[in-house]
Amino acid sequence: MNPIKQGHEGTASTWDPERWRYPQGKDGAPLFEDLAPLLSGGFTPPEPEVFTRDDGRALFYKGAVNCLFGESEAGKSWIAVAAVAEVLKAGGKAIYFDADENTAGALASRLSRMGVPDDVIVNPHRCLISQVEDREQLPFLVNACRSFRPDIAVIDAVGRIMSLMGADSNRPDDYSRVHLQVFSAVKRSGAAVVLVDHPPKNKEKAALGASGTIAKRNNIDGSYLHVTLEDGHAYTRGQGGASWITVQKDRHGQVRAYCPTDDKEPTAARFVMRESEDGMIGFELHAPATGQRSPAERADPNLVERLAAHPDLDNLTARDARSFLGCRMDKVSPALREAKAIARDLTTKPRDVTAGVTPLPTPGEGNGVTERDGLGADASSENSMEAPNVVGLLKDEGAA
């Protein structure tokens, strides 16, 4: 007999699913999920709905915590404000938690210059901006979000929220506590929560994600996007700027699915912002072109050349290559991958057996060669060499 089933025989059931699903009442969060509605129509993975590329695909998931991280002045806050502007212009609602001292005036000005009507910006039923200055505000802001039910909620920046909560960004337990109490609590409003964060100062650790504990990355249940400034396109007043957005983590796979390559950190979009003479700001979010490599995956050609000359390239590990090149691992890996790919192409490409062979000159082309040199069709027998009659020789040998 099944020992699990046997343990339940002869016992009266006291289990009341409805009572335990809502122990705090119907207004509280359910303790257990109701699975029937999830399966009735067949489960489909969530699709990102907020901040849309020019091909119609979006970057942020609603009801989930997403993140933009990158170096200072890489364009993270500009991208976050642009996402808010897109939502507001489409008739949606947005809330911006400003803990990074951007100031409400500057944020409102950016939204206005991006084409959001002023009557929308000042409408408390559509747009809210909070200057977060102490931890006592945070529970009220979380509850306000649940009542307001925004389409997007930007929290800028994670480090300042951690500090207000008396938490250490380098401790997994501290981060997980703040994530649960603040970031996950806000997502229960149904909003696409967009965290703005910074990478660590150590370049190799920066390649792994935002500063502090790996718990930051592990707790993301939406998209985790790396923002890098495009070379020569820094954000400047009166001009604009450009950034690359790449995918480091995508819980549901619906952002990565529409990236053009199988890079470890593929390109999700290119963000371009332009400022006109009258101060108005235009922006585009371009889908990457077919085969377009992520900036993080592009190899330094000088490093590739040095690795290509290594006598044991086929067996070279990333650690060996790092010792050989003497540079950071985030530079070594793409260079080693490209050098090995080039080497494979060279060994698998069919060899041209005529390469390097000089063709015989043709008579009468001004090269001094005549038919008397034995190269013409009617060359004399003294200058020509007839091929032996192989068939005749074989017949004679068989007769013998």
Side-chain angles (χ1 to χ4, degrees), residues 13-222:
S13 175
T14 58
W15 176 249
D16 182 351
E18 284 303 309
R19 175 192 170 194
W20 285 103
R21 182 173 293 153
Y22 295 99
Q24 299 174 348
K26 292 287 186 177
D27 294 333
L31 190 62
F32 302 104
E33 298 296 328
D34 184 2
L35 301 181
L38 298 176
L39 296 178
S40 60
F43 176 75
T44 55
E47 291 276 352
E49 302 177 57
V50 175
F51 204 34
T52 308
R53 306 186 313 196
D54 54 9
D55 65 347
R57 298 290 175 182
L59 298 187
F60 302 134
Y61 296 89
K62 293 186 70 174
V65 179
N66 310 268
C67 181
L68 293 168
F69 77 92
E71 298 284 353
S72 179
E73 300 186 358
K76 303 181 300 296
S77 292
W78 278 116
I79 292 170
V81 173
V84 168
E86 181 186 90
V87 166
L88 292 174
K89 287 193 287 186
K93 299 191 292 185
I95 186 168
Y96 203 109
F97 290 46
D98 176 27
D100 206 31
E101 299 181 356
N102 293 295
T103 75
L107 292 171
S109 174
R110 289 181 179 184
L111 290 172
S112 178
R113 291 159 60 206
M114 285 182 172
V116 181
D118 287 356
D119 61 345
V120 171
I121 297 172
V122 301
N123 184 347
H125 296 282
R126 296 283 306 282
C127 179
L128 297 173
I129 298 175
S130 175
Q131 302 280 172
V132 186
E133 297 177 347
D134 59 66
R135 64 183 298 172
E136 284 72 24
Q137 290 177 279
L138 291 171
F140 294 103
L141 286 169
V142 168
N143 289 329
C145 271
R146 291 179 179 176
S147 177
F148 184 55
R149 301 191 67 80
D151 297 286
I152 184 172
V154 175
I155 300 178
D156 187 0
V158 170
R160 296 297 295 272
I161 298 294
M162 294 288 291
S163 179
L164 289 175
M165 294 288 288
D168 184 348
S169 292
N170 294 306
R171 298 185 60 183
D173 290 347
D174 276 16
Y175 179 79
S176 295
R177 172 174 59 84
V178 174
H179 190 98
L180 182 65
Q181 292 177 350
V182 181
F183 310 146
S184 283
V186 172
K187 84 174 182 183
R188 284 193 281 274
S189 68
V193 178
V194 180
L195 308 180
V196 178
D197 206 357
H198 301 274
K201 294 180 180 179
N202 181 293
K203 297 297 183 182
E204 289 190 17
K205 290 183 179 179
L208 301 176
S211 62
T213 172
I214 194 66
K216 286 186 174 183
R217 177 176 172 143
N218 292 344
N219 278 283
I220 293 295
D221 59 349

